[in-house]
Amino acid sequence: TTPNTELIQYAYYPAGDLNTLTDGRGKITTWTPDVEGRVASKKYHGQTFVNLVCGYDANGRRHMTWVWR
C-alpha cells in the first residue's frame, strides 16, 4: 500500500522472478526474464512495444537500452 492508500499488486513467474506490477490506478508494468532469470525486458502499461531491453556482458553486468516510439 502506498502513502495514498493505493494497493500495489505483484505477480511472479513460477521460478520467483517478477512478472507484473499493478499500481493503485490499475496500470500494469510487465517484466520478462531471460533463461537465467535476469531482467530481459520491461513493458509499461498501455504500450504495444517493449520499453526497456537488457543484455548482459560476460561478467554479468547489465546493459540497458531504452526504446521510445
Side-chain angles (χ1 to χ4, degrees):
T1 305
T2 69
N4 298 332
T5 65
E6 295 177 331
L7 180 64
I8 297 175
Q9 298 178 0
Y10 300 91
Y12 296 88
Y13 289 101
D17 304 307
L18 182 62
N19 180 358
T20 62
L21 178 149
T22 305
D23 71 16
R25 297 170 293 155
K27 297 190 181 293
I28 300 170
T29 301
T30 304
W31 287 263
T32 304
D34 65 11
V35 295
E36 295 183 27
R38 303 172 298 190
V39 173
S41 66
K42 180 178 180 180
K43 186 168 90 170
Y44 292 105
H45 177 82
Q47 301 294 323
T48 56
F49 59 91
V50 171
N51 302 105
L52 174 69
V53 178
C54 298
Y56 297 85
D57 66 18
N59 295 317
R61 292 180 295 231
R62 182 172 50 199
H63 300 274
M64 298 180 291
T65 302
W66 290 95
V67 180
W68 300 104
R69 295 185 187 178

